Amino acid sequence: MGEISGFQLGVIGALFLSVASSVSIVICNKALMSNLGFPFATTLTSWHLMVTYCTLHVAHRLNLFESKPIDTKTVVLFGMLNGISIGFLNLSLGFNSVGFYQMTKLAIIPFTVMLETIFLKKQFSSKIRLSLFLLLVGVGIASITDLQLNFLGTVLSLLAIITTCVGQILTNTIQKRLSVSSTQLLYQSAPFQAAILFVSGPFLDQCLTKKNVFAYKYSPVVLAFIILSCLISVSVNFSTFLVIGKTSPVTYQVLGHLKTCLVLGFGYTLLHDPFTERNLIGILIAIGGMGLYSYFCTQETKKKQGDLSLGSQIKDKETAALLAGVLQDKENHEVKKSNKDSLV
């Protein structure tokens, strides 16, 4: 029972860390890109991953965690896939309207459910599917304003959805099947994610912004925000792997839409972004869907734990009955032997 409580506390802590760090970095990056005019998102992400790796390397040298070797091919392919998915998401944003990009992010949940159902044989109850539907409708109402389609943007969005879903499913699967922690997996894969984005980032950013990251004039304020963004990213990357490992890719995506709602709220409160009744209605529907998802997941988890506990009790009773039978047979045998000895 204590192990279950400790696990639940760990999940709550991971969820809180993910929400707090993600909302913080979104606000920081919004100030950096919108207010200070630093538009190089992909290159910035590569710096995030390099700082994350360096931080984990220092932590490893200080014996704060043990590194566990993972098959090189698995780590390289996994790291490259995650790096490519980030690149496709940024390209999707660059070649599509903001509304279509939000649709792309919303599509990740149903696509993940489909992949897990087909390839991992995971079952999603009708209640869970209903709560996810409400969530997606709410976020769609709150965040989607325009839908402009184009062929290249649609292809990039499809590639972004596929690579993101597969990457997040692998994040969960690798941790469980290879018995590695989120920290160990992130430590092993971060260099490969950083490398592919560091090489491709300046080129992608120049295609999207028509500006060169190396020709940009870095003021002290911009440098300060870049450093702050990189420091927050350590917590973001760590909590991402932690949440997916402790829960599931779908739960992580649900959490991501909670962050979207919080960012909309903070944007209105702190940055005075426009906020309408439609935003409010959408956020309320989304929060309702999240609440139902959390409740149904908790109920199903309790039911599974109850079934496991009942099965364990039945097994214990059967074992006890079997032992009692063996002891009784032994005792009867000894009585018969004693009777024979007395007759002799």
Side-chain angles (χ1 to χ4, degrees), residues 6 9 40 69 81 114 155 165 203 283 288 294-295 306 308 310 317:
L9 286 174
F40 310 106
L81 177 65
M114 183 185 73
V155 171
C165 291
F203 172 74
I283 288 174
S294 177
Y295 174 75
L308 288 173
L310 182 61
K317 287 180 180 179

Side-chain angles (χ1 to χ4, degrees), residues 25 33 59 124 137 141 152 155 167 176 198 221 297 301 309 343:
I25 202 169
M33 295 178 184
F124 293 87
V137 169
I141 292 172
L152 178 59
V155 171
K176 290 182 176 176
F198 187 75
V221 177
C297 284
T301 302
S309 177
L343 287 172

Side-chain angles (χ1 to χ4, degrees), residues 120 168-178:
L120 301 181
Q168 291 180 0
I169 290 171
L170 286 177
T171 301
N172 179 272
T173 305
I174 290 173
Q175 289 185 55
K176 290 182 176 176
R177 293 192 178 176
L178 300 183

Side-chain angles (χ1 to χ4, degrees), residues 147-169:
L147 283 176
Q148 297 176 9
L149 304 179
N150 65 81
F151 179 75
L152 178 59
T154 303
V155 171
L156 290 171
S157 291
L158 286 173
L159 291 172
I161 292 168
I162 293 169
T163 53
T164 301
C165 291
V166 173
Q168 291 180 0
I169 290 171

Side-chain angles (χ1 to χ4, degrees), residues 127-146:
K127 292 179 180 179
I128 293 291
R129 292 197 295 267
L130 173 62
S131 63
L132 290 174
F133 175 75
L134 286 176
L135 164 67
L136 296 177
V137 169
V139 175
I141 292 172
S143 60
I144 296 175
T145 54
D146 60 326

Side-chain angles (χ1 to χ4, degrees), residues 23-313:
V23 172
S24 299
I25 202 169
V26 166
I27 294 173
C28 177
N29 288 348
K30 189 168 184 178
L32 178 63
M33 295 178 184
S34 299
N35 299 341
L36 299 175
F38 183 85
F40 310 106
T42 310
T43 303
L44 180 63
T45 304
S46 72
W47 297 344
H48 287 170
L49 288 162
M50 282 189 282
V51 171
T52 298
Y53 173 73
C54 291
T55 304
L56 291 177
H57 186 68
V58 171
H60 176 246
R61 299 286 292 182
L62 294 174
N63 296 319
L64 296 179
F65 73 95
E66 292 183 4
S67 176
K68 186 172 182 179
I70 306 173
D71 176 60
T72 304
K73 184 179 178 181
T74 300
V75 172
V76 171
L77 291 176
F78 173 73
M80 291 180 66
L81 177 65
N82 277 325
I84 290 169
S85 73
I86 293 170
F88 277 136
L89 282 170
N90 287 341
L91 284 171
S92 174
L93 178 59
F95 283 90
N96 288 304
S97 64
V98 175
F100 193 79
Y101 175 71
Q102 289 295 338
M103 282 288 292
T104 300
K105 292 175 69 176
L106 290 178
I108 291 173
I109 284 183
F111 199 82
T112 302
V113 169
M114 183 185 73
L115 289 179
E116 289 195 307
T117 302
I118 295 173
F119 295 103
L120 301 181
K121 308 303 179 186
K122 187 173 180 179
Q123 299 297 319
F124 293 87
S125 67
S126 56
K127 292 179 180 179
I128 293 291
R129 292 197 295 267
L130 173 62
S131 63
L132 290 174
F133 175 75
L134 286 176
L135 164 67
L136 296 177
V137 169
V139 175
I141 292 172
S143 60
I144 296 175
T145 54
D146 60 326
L147 283 176
Q148 297 176 9
L149 304 179
N150 65 81
F151 179 75
L152 178 59
T154 303
V155 171
L156 290 171
S157 291
L158 286 173
L159 291 172
I161 292 168
I162 293 169
T163 53
T164 301
C165 291
V166 173
Q168 291 180 0
I169 290 171
L170 286 177
T171 301
N172 179 272
T173 305
I174 290 173
Q175 289 185 55
K176 290 182 176 176
R177 293 192 178 176
L178 300 183
S179 298
V180 296
S181 68
S182 55
T183 310
Q184 291 167 334
L185 181 57
L186 179 59
Y187 179 60
Q188 295 283 342
S189 62
F192 301 103
Q193 294 183 59
I196 193 166
L197 290 175
F198 187 75
V199 172
S200 62
F203 172 74
L204 292 178
D205 287 333
Q206 189 159 15
C207 288
L208 295 172
T209 65
K210 310 301 180 186
K211 297 179 182 179
N212 190 332
V213 66
F214 301 110
Y216 183 83
K217 294 182 180 179
Y218 294 86
S219 67
V221 177
V222 169
L223 287 173
F225 270 88
I226 290 174
I227 293 170
L228 178 61
S229 179
C230 288
L231 292 175
I232 298 172
S233 73
V234 176
S235 179
V236 172
N237 291 325
F238 172 74
S239 62
T240 296
F241 278 60
L242 187 62
V243 168
I244 295 175
K246 283 187 173 292
T247 57
S248 70
V250 173
T251 298
Y252 175 72
Q253 285 299 322
V254 170
L255 192 68
H257 292 305
L258 171 60
K259 299 169 196 173
T260 300
C261 294
L262 290 174
V263 167
L264 287 172
F266 280 119
Y268 172 72
T269 306
L270 301 177
L271 304 176
H272 305 293
D273 289 342
F275 199 79
T276 64
E277 288 183 1
R278 175 178 171 171
N279 297 131
L280 180 60
I281 292 170
I283 288 174
L284 290 175
I285 294 173
I287 291 174
M290 291 174 208
L292 289 173
Y293 177 80
S294 177
Y295 174 75
F296 293 144
C297 284
T298 303
Q299 293 299 110
E300 291 184 6
T301 302
K302 286 181 179 178
K303 185 179 178 182
K304 287 179 183 177
Q305 291 172 354
D307 291 342
L308 288 173
S309 177
L310 182 61
S312 178
Q313 289 175 8

